[in-house]
Amino acid sequence: MRSLLPQDAPYLVDLFENMGSESRYNRFLQPLDQVDMDYVWTEAEQIAEKVATVSYGLVAFVDMPERDDVPVGAARYVELTTSRAEIAVSVRDDMQRKGIGTEMMRLLILHAKIRGIEQLVGTVQNSNAPMWAMLHKLNYRVEHQSEGSYSEIIIHLHESAHRREDYLDAAADYSPEPQLSW
């Protein structure tokens, strides 16, 4: 695993090509089975180029029988403000449920905390059980607001254990929204 670089667009395209329909839908919140590859390349180049300015990303590789250094995952955050950033994680289908996404998220969180980011935000399909399981493993308070088939999430990075206990007490009052999870 290493930092995403501006010249890494080909790795992002390779990763996209090895994500199935459900993985693409979960990651991009829209069906992308019949997408024009020129569009994919343009998006990959823009994502990779942003790491030089307002974002930070990681790309994970493994050696496969068919070739070495195969890109299997990517994760990044884009700074929205000095204290808030949007996150995204992608892992190719044949490498999911191996801890790659979780480890990338842990490293992104460490980097974000060093940069002074207090909250990571994102959108997660409610049916995306692997992503919810990964968020649970992170051991940070995750606030989520359901919006139909997806939820807007906030991962709180700089809360003390005492502050988290206060939120658990509030959650015990059966307040309907927002929901909290660990």
Side-chain angles (χ1 to χ4, degrees), residues 83-94:
S83 64
R84 192 172 204 176
E86 183 176 28
I87 58 166
V89 179
S90 301
V91 176
R92 61 185 270 163
D93 285 5
D94 59 342

Side-chain angles (χ1 to χ4, degrees), residues 54-65:
V54 296
S55 72
Y56 176 73
L58 296 165
V59 62
F61 299 89
V62 298
D63 291 340
M64 299 274 223

